[in-house]
Structures are given as structure tokens and as C-alpha cells.
Amino acid sequence: MALTQPLLGPRRRSKAVVDPHSVNNDIMQATEMSTKNGNVELSNAAKDFAAEGAARVVVTKLMTGIEATFTLVSFLLNVAQMTLPFCFARVGWSAALLMMLVTGLCMHTALMLQEALVTLVSRGTPFPEYSDLARSAFGPAFATMTQAVAMAELAAYSSSCSINLGKALGAMLPVSEGTAILTSAAVCVLLSAFSDRVFAYIGLLSSLASVSIFVILVHSGWQAMRWSEDTAYIADPQYIPTSFAMILFSAGTHPLICTVLHSTRSHTELRRAILGAWTVFLVATIGFGSIVYGIFGPSFQPDIIANIGGEFRVIAGVWMAIKVLGIAVPMARPLGNAYGRALGVLCPTEIAGPLVMLPVLLCSAAVALYFADQIEALESVVGCTITSFNVLLVPAMSYILICKPSGASRYCAICYAALGGAMSISPMADFVRQLMQ
């Protein structure tokens, strides 16, 4: 099963193509009717007509460029994106420059990734996935590792969802933080009885929830007259790498591009969608972060609900719960599917239910409990190691080995791959350095 299929709900790859059996039946019926009349030329025309009709049906089931843009934007404006104003609290207004840099890197490597995927399509791989990209570039062993790293990133997003859902429940109910996170895991286990198509409809409220939380945050700060006078301070440069990694964790959704490619009408429209989606992300993130930083300054907390007081806190918790519940189960479902199939309790056509999802969600809750008070640490560590591998190293190296570019494009790809490789191994290198001291 493809890693990203559950994230799109009803828009699966099988829905984006025409049933070959029905198309073949149409062609056979048209051919049989024309052959009975002894008109072979009409038979060939009937085949062409049926094939043209099939292609017309395919196009109508695929996304337009605008729809693809909306889909990518929904991926980018995730729960982690609401933590990014904390980067302003760490490094001041220079966070805007970091956001521009990271967004530019992600946009360029996304275009490289698309070129590599399109090249695989032209070589006979009709629906290439992220593992197919790695397999074609590096071989089966690296493909397996790439799939494992993508799953690890998905697990990190799942833990981030558990943290934010726990914070939301904690804002609505008089319970401890640990109890709220465990309760959120129990709620997700129960909700895993529903198919991902149900969550697709809840996901439509995600953008509205983000806007609502932002409005509540600004209104709460305005009512409390908490406008900060410390927005001109010089931040400690040591926080720049961690802020860079946090932004990358939110902006790096490259494994999802494969499914969007399969569901978009043309490669040109997908290219425009990539350019538009990351532009929207940049404008929204800098705009949101600047306004919040202007109000709260360096006192802003990474847990966005912690910055809201009074009755507004409960309302913000409700909207955060709506935002997270639309993606928490679909985000963890691929992990449950892989776990269930490894145990042999699920066949390839089945999806994980509550019993299979229980240990997966409990593991996510355990990680969430550990990082509950240090969300920025979780995002920066994952962004530095796992996301950099998926966003910088794999797309750039695949582009070099599959598309074989020359000139500036090749040098840019080499630089991106070097940066992604250095970031991926830097925590381990630092750990070894500390051991040797």
C-alpha cells in the first residue's frame, strides 16, 4: 500500500483512472457490432471512439491545477505550521529570512522531485511512488530504507498530532496533561473504526480551524493588551539551526507529491500547483508569525493554546481538536497497516482497525508524553534528521541520477544533496563527538 494513500481519503489512485474492464467491454461491444456488419474500418473507428471516451472520463476524474494547489496547501498548513511563530520568539525578525530560505529550498526540490517522477512515467512506471524513485536511483536496498524513513516521518507527525490533541483536550477539560494525551489516544483508537473517507470530510474544516485559532490568538492578545516592546532584541544565533529544522519539518511534505502527481490532470498543472502552494505557505507563515510576534514578542510559547487565556482558551481548544481529528487517524493508519501486515493479520486490501491501531497509537502517545513540554525539540530533531533526508537528499540525488541534468541545475542539486546528507548525520556526528571528549 502506498504511504500517502490514506491522506487523500476518497481521492485514491484507483479512483483517478478508469476501470480497464469496463473500457475493454465498451471496445469489445463496439467492435463486435461493427464486425457483424462486415465493416472492419468501422470496427477500428469504434475502438478509437471508445478509447477517446475512456480518456475523457479519466480527465474528468483528475484534479485541476487549482484543486492540486488546494490539496498541497492543506498538507503544508499542518499542525506543525502553527508552532512556527515560536521561531520569531527564538531568532527575532530573521525568522522571516529563514522561512524564505526553507520555502525556496522546498519549492525547488519539489520541482526536481516532479521532474524525476515524470521521467519514471516516461520510462514505463505509470504510478511511481517514493520508493520507486529511490529504487530507480539507488537500488532496492535504498528504496527499503527510504520507505522506512518516510514511515518514521509519518510517525513523528502522528506524535505531533497526539501532543496537540492532548493540549486541546486539556484546554477544554480539567484534566492533567498526561491524562489528556492518553485520552486523545483512546479517542483516536475508537475513531479508527471509520474509513479514511470519513476523515476527508472533517479535513475540509482544517483551514477554517487554522484561521479560527489565529483569530482567537490575536484577539486574546489584543484584549489582554500584551503588545510586546521586545521585538527589536538580538536573538542568540545558536537557535538558527533549530529554527531552520523546525520550518523544514512543517514545509517538507515531499512524499505526498507522488499521490498528487497521480491525481492531477497534467504535469504542467502540478508544476504550477507546487509554485502556488509553497508561495501560499510562505505568505501565511510569515504573516501569521509576524503578527503574533508583534503582540507576544519573545514570550510566545510553542504550544499555541498556552498563549491564549480565559474563555478564549476553551474555544481555541475546540478548534484545535477539530483540526487534529481530521488528520490524526489517517496520518497513523499507514503505520497500522504496515504493522498489521507484518504480523499477518491484515491482507493487502484491508485497512487497520481499532485493535491493530491500538499499539501504534499508544506508541505515538508515549512519544507525545515525552515531548509534550518540548514540541520544538521534537520538530527540530525530526526536521534535521528525517525531513532533511526526504526533502533534500532523496529528491536532489534522484533528480541527478534519473534526469541527469547539467549546468546550474546539477550544481544546485548537488548542494541540496550535500546539505540534506550533512543535516541527516549531524546529530549522530555530534553524539560521537561528545563521546570522544
Side-chain angles (χ1 to χ4, degrees), residues 82 164 213 217 288 300-308 320:
M82 307 197 76
N164 284 277
I213 294 171
L217 176 66
F288 176 43
F300 184 82
Q301 299 299 312
D303 171 23
I304 192 170
I305 296 181
N307 299 280
I308 302 173
M320 179 63 78

Side-chain angles (χ1 to χ4, degrees), residues 259-299:
T259 302
V260 180
L261 171 71
H262 306 159
S263 304
T264 306
R265 291 183 178 181
S266 71
H267 300 146
T268 301
E269 288 186 283
L270 177 58
R271 183 181 183 87
R272 293 172 182 168
I274 289 173
L275 294 173
W278 266 274
T279 301
V280 171
F281 169 82
L282 177 62
V283 172
T285 303
I286 291 181
F288 176 43
S290 299
I291 293 174
V292 170
Y293 182 54
I295 295 176
F296 295 94
S299 64

Side-chain angles (χ1 to χ4, degrees), residues 108-109 111-117 119-120 123 133-134 136-138 391-421:
H108 199 185
T109 54
L111 294 174
M112 291 180 177
L113 177 63
Q114 184 205 6
E115 290 296 322
L117 291 170
T119 302
L120 289 185
R123 292 179 182 177
L133 192 75
S136 178
F138 305 101
V391 172
L392 298 174
L393 181 62
V394 173
M397 289 303 298
S398 299
Y399 177 68
I400 293 171
L401 296 175
I402 295 175
C403 300
K404 302 187 184 305
S406 60
S409 296
R410 180 178 180 85
Y411 293 128
C412 282
I414 292 174
C415 291
Y416 295 158
L419 176 61

Side-chain angles (χ1 to χ4, degrees), residues 79-90 160 163-164 167 213 217 246 288 292 296-308 320 371-380:
V79 175
Q81 187 259 351
M82 307 197 76
T83 311
L84 296 187
F86 183 69
C87 295
F88 283 89
R90 284 295 199 190
S160 178
I163 293 174
N164 284 277
K167 300 287 187 182
I213 294 171
L217 176 66
M246 287 177 63
F288 176 43
V292 170
F296 295 94
S299 64
F300 184 82
Q301 299 299 312
D303 171 23
I304 192 170
I305 296 181
N307 299 280
I308 302 173
M320 179 63 78
F371 286 101
D373 294 326
Q374 43 188 349
I375 303 175
E376 73 282 5
L378 172 66
E379 295 182 1
S380 60

Side-chain angles (χ1 to χ4, degrees), residues 55 62 71 86 133 136-137 139 148 150 201 208 225 242 244 277 293 296 358 390 417 435:
L62 297 179
T71 301
F86 183 69
L133 192 75
S136 178
Y201 294 100
L208 178 59
M225 300 183 65
T242 57
F244 181 94
Y293 182 54
F296 295 94
L358 177 61
N390 285 330
L435 288 179

